[in-house]
Amino acid sequence: VVNNARFLLLPWVRVRNLASRILSMSARHLARDWQKRYGYRPVLLETFVEHPRFSGSCYRAANWVYVGDTQGRGKLDRYWKRALPIKGVYLYPLVRDFRTELCT
């Protein structure tokens, strides 16, 4: 699983479908580039979109799948406090049988 940590298009950049095109192109090239650099191919991409600050529409337009929301705790939370914003989780499978690949 590879995480897409940051993706930003500045507000004054106005190009039709630019965000979804960039996301689609990078997803197509990522598996091959990752194989060349690290010696294995990832099977799934993930990203988190902060609600209500962002809508995630560019991910949906690039065929990413919304799978739910976080609880707002973050990966380093040890005290069960919801101190962070709630984020939507989006996934993009790079292979059809990604569940089998991840479980073997």
Side-chain angles (χ1 to χ4, degrees):
V1 178
V2 176
N3 179 269
N4 178 29
R6 299 281 185 268
F7 183 69
L8 171 68
L9 291 178
L10 298 171
W12 56 83
V13 176
R14 299 280 185 196
V15 177
R16 186 176 167 101
N17 302 324
L18 179 63
S20 60
R21 286 182 183 202
I22 290 171
L23 288 168
S24 295
M25 287 173 55
S26 60
R28 278 195 304 267
H29 291 276
L30 183 114
R32 181 189 61 224
D33 294 346
W34 202 276
Q35 173 72 40
K36 187 186 298 184
R37 176 70 172 103
Y38 299 108
Y40 66 94
R41 295 177 80 84
V43 296
L44 188 66
L45 303 178
E46 71 171 356
T47 195
F48 300 92
V49 177
E50 185 179 328
H51 295 306
R53 192 171 170 200
F54 303 105
S55 66
S57 60
C58 64
Y59 288 100
R60 289 191 302 274
N63 295 322
W64 289 59
V65 179
Y66 171 76
V67 294
D69 291 329
T70 65
Q71 294 182 2
R73 292 184 35 227
K75 64 182 177 184
L76 301 177
D77 178 35
R78 298 186 320 197
Y79 304 107
W80 296 84
K81 295 186 180 192
R82 292 184 166 100
L84 299 173
I86 297 197
K87 296 179 181 178
V89 181
Y90 290 84
L91 300 177
Y92 187 87
L94 296 173
V95 296
R96 284 182 191 237
D97 59 341
F98 69 92
R99 289 179 183 92
T100 304
E101 293 283 329
L102 289 173
C103 293
T104 57

